[in-house]
Amino acid sequence: MRRREPERRRRRERGRPRLPLRRSLLGRLLIVSVLVASCAVAATAWLAVQTTSGAIRQEQGQDLSSDAKIYNTLLGYAATHPRWEDVEDTARELARTSQRRIVLTTEDRRPLFDSAGASSVAPLPAQASAVVDPLSVDTVLVPEAMTAGSDRIDPRAVGPFLLPANERTELRAITEKQVACLNSVGVAADVVDGPSGRPRIDFVRGDTDRDLEFKCVAQNSGATLTEKKALDELNTLADACLKRQGHKGATLNLDLSWDRGYGQITAAGKQPAEKQSAEKYPAEKYPAEKYPAEKKAAAAVERGEDRAIASCVGSARREQLTDHVAAPALLFIDGTGAVSVPGFDLSPSNTARIVGVTALVLALTVGVSVIAGARLVRPLHALTGAAQRMRDGLDSAPVPVGPDNEIGRLAAAFNDMAVHRARLEEQRKVMVSDVAHELRTPLSNIRGWLEAAQDGLADPDPAFVSSLLEEAVQLQHIIDDLQDLGAADVGALRLHPEPVYADELLGQVAAAYQGPAETAGVTLTVAAPKPGPPGPTLYADPVRLRQAVSNLVSNAVRHTPSGGRVTLRSYRTGPGHGDEVALEVSDTGAGIPADDIPHVFDRFWRAEKSRNRSTGGSGLGLAIVLKLAEAQGGTASVVSTEGKGSVFTLRLPAAPAPAEAPATATVAEAAAGPDGPDPINMTL
């Protein structure tokens, strides 16, 4: 049978299905590691991209701001100068303040200016940073709001509209009078010179009184001789353009607007014909289905004419200003195209590098996780196998204990548990055998005597009845002891604690066992209390306490040879001698070997391994003593020297004030302290 056991065990272990990887500890560790690695790589890559992109955007923003300043300054120079001959001072100052190389060339790349000097051999890039042309402003570097309108002509390019000094003085005097009038009526305004030198009124606050404003500016300064001449020239050029397109000519105003009978139309790309038509024909009055068809057609014609006039005015302005502004020039700044702001785009090689590094990190993470997981799971598998063998009732070899970590401590705890379980199992087997023997002996005696009486072999005289009663009492004692232990184990042992005088209780127990002690030739005494106040008082169930002390006295009398002594005494212990009361039972018997002391309070344990009743009882007495002491919040201990005797001590709480003593308590209630029940005693 023993040879078949390992084979059966191997079959059972082979029959158990292995956990799937996704449910095993190794699989979960791998999943968590991969997730952590993936999140770490993704977070690192995202942070690197965001940081790099932010740095690039910041640097590009600074470069773009610097380039816009350079471009706008050179654009203003070109708008106010017919040639680039004297641009060197302006360009050199820009290069000095921006710390960048500035190169200006004609459209066919003939050099006009190079801040690096004529000795520079650095080649120019294929694409210019910008084209400096005041008649076609680059709105990327200069916002459209800073241009004259959709025609993209720099407002600083005024050409023949530039006023001479005498006309400027005359117009400024008129404008200053108007501003003084406005200020006198509480309207904040100031005089601002325009690009052509014509002054205009700049209102500091927008919420002005229109009536007061009209009163002060009623004297409108008309066009000067210079402006009339330039405006006539512009009108001629615009009319020629309109005639080529088959449209009627238009009379331009000084602000480059024209009158179509119901309002001014500007040449800045605005088309108010739709707005004016909407004002004449509001939607709530003229729904779309009732809108006159002829009005729709008229509005469409007006819009077409307005577009044509605006386009021709723009073309005429460029033609008029051509001789008054510098020719278009190519601008190179640091040899880069600074007008564009590219995003942070990864090249295929960089993308492949990032993917490769990510894959390498994941591979290393998975590899390390596999190695670490295997080392982690191996002892767990050993623990699982040992636990399964223990469940099957097979002997389990100790699990190897690894390094001092969580798994190693778990393995050590498992080995301790296995040893403790084996010891408990052995004790259980011994206990079952002892219980069977202890019950069988009195039952066998009772049965034997009864059968003898039934067969007429024994006379049921008083001695016969006394013998049967003795066996029945012994049997009842064993059953009562087992019942008490069972009740204490489940916490169902009822207690009735009350103040108990320790010396009085010891005297009662000594009187009860005086006869057996004298029969055994043992002197049983109670140590005389010290003179003074009454002896110590403890708080306990007097019946259960007498039972515990009686068991100790009975055990001491049995194990003390004739001529020996058993002494009972009580005393206070603890700080101030008021916390606990100790009940001590000492004897001069054979003592207990040191190896047996840890097992003294085990059930069915006896120093004398034989089952001779002359030297040992059922083996339950001391176990009951321990349970009764713990149930009442106390402890039981023993100190013994082999060949000299033993001292058993019960320590129980001292009696509190009478008002604090409850009438009745269970084991759990009696074990409760001031902060609640003791968790150890609750499990009794």
Side-chain angles (χ1 to χ4, degrees), residues 161-414:
F161 287 89
L162 184 65
L163 299 179
N166 59 336
E167 294 181 353
R168 292 186 185 185
T169 303
E170 181 181 354
L171 291 175
R172 188 171 186 85
I174 297 173
T175 306
E176 287 179 349
K177 290 181 179 179
Q178 295 174 349
V179 170
C181 175
L182 291 171
N183 292 335
S184 66
V185 296
V187 178
D190 200 0
V191 179
V192 179
D193 290 331
S196 65
R198 168 177 277 274
R200 61 181 178 83
I201 300 175
D202 183 23
F203 293 93
V204 178
R205 295 193 304 269
D207 53 342
T208 61
D209 189 335
R210 295 299 181 184
D211 294 336
L212 295 177
E213 179 184 342
F214 179 77
K215 178 181 178 181
C216 291
V217 299
Q219 182 185 358
N220 185 14
S221 57
T224 64
L225 293 177
T226 302
E227 292 173 335
K228 288 180 180 179
K229 182 179 178 181
L231 190 59
D232 291 341
E233 181 184 356
L234 182 61
N235 254 316
T236 302
L237 295 174
D239 288 345
C241 174
L242 290 171
K243 186 180 294 185
R244 287 193 298 271
Q245 297 182 13
H247 295 284
K248 296 185 299 180
T251 302
L252 298 177
N253 301 317
L254 187 59
D255 59 354
L256 301 183
S257 62
W258 59 92
D259 189 1
R260 296 195 51 83
Y262 47 77
Q264 291 182 346
I265 311 299
T266 66
K270 299 179 182 179
Q271 301 176 9
E274 296 180 3
K275 179 180 179 182
Q276 293 158 358
S277 298
E279 292 176 354
K280 293 172 64 178
Y281 304 98
E284 61 272 11
K285 187 174 181 181
Y286 296 96
E289 62 271 11
K290 296 182 179 181
Y291 198 93
E294 62 274 11
K295 297 302 180 181
K296 292 183 179 180
V301 172
E302 291 174 359
R303 287 195 298 271
E305 291 179 354
D306 292 337
R307 294 192 189 98
I309 295 174
S311 176
C312 286
V313 171
S315 300
R317 289 189 65 201
R318 290 186 182 88
E319 185 178 354
Q320 184 186 35
L321 296 173
T322 299
D323 296 334
H324 298 275
V325 300
L330 301 181
L331 173 63
F332 298 89
I333 303 175
D334 282 346
T336 60
V339 295
S340 61
V341 185
F344 182 72
D345 297 326
L346 290 175
S347 62
S349 59
N350 288 335
T351 302
R353 188 178 297 111
I354 291 177
V355 172
V357 172
T358 303
L360 178 60
V361 171
L362 289 176
L364 290 176
T365 303
V366 172
V368 172
S369 299
V370 169
I371 297 174
R375 292 175 60 87
L376 178 65
V377 172
R378 189 180 301 115
L380 295 181
H381 286 167
L383 286 171
T384 303
Q388 290 173 344
R389 290 191 295 272
M390 187 182 297
R391 180 199 64 187
D392 296 337
L394 304 176
D395 293 335
S396 177
V399 177
V401 178
D404 186 17
N405 52 25
E406 289 80 357
I407 302 299
R409 294 181 180 182
L410 176 61
F414 182 86

Side-chain angles (χ1 to χ4, degrees), residues 63-95:
D63 292 344
L64 185 61
S65 176
S66 176
D67 294 346
K69 180 180 179 181
I70 295 172
Y71 174 79
N72 190 45
T73 303
L74 294 176
L75 189 66
Y77 181 90
T80 56
H81 294 78
R83 288 175 296 277
W84 293 100
E85 295 177 353
D86 299 327
V87 75
E88 180 175 351
D89 293 340
T90 302
R92 194 172 301 281
E93 179 64 20
L94 290 173

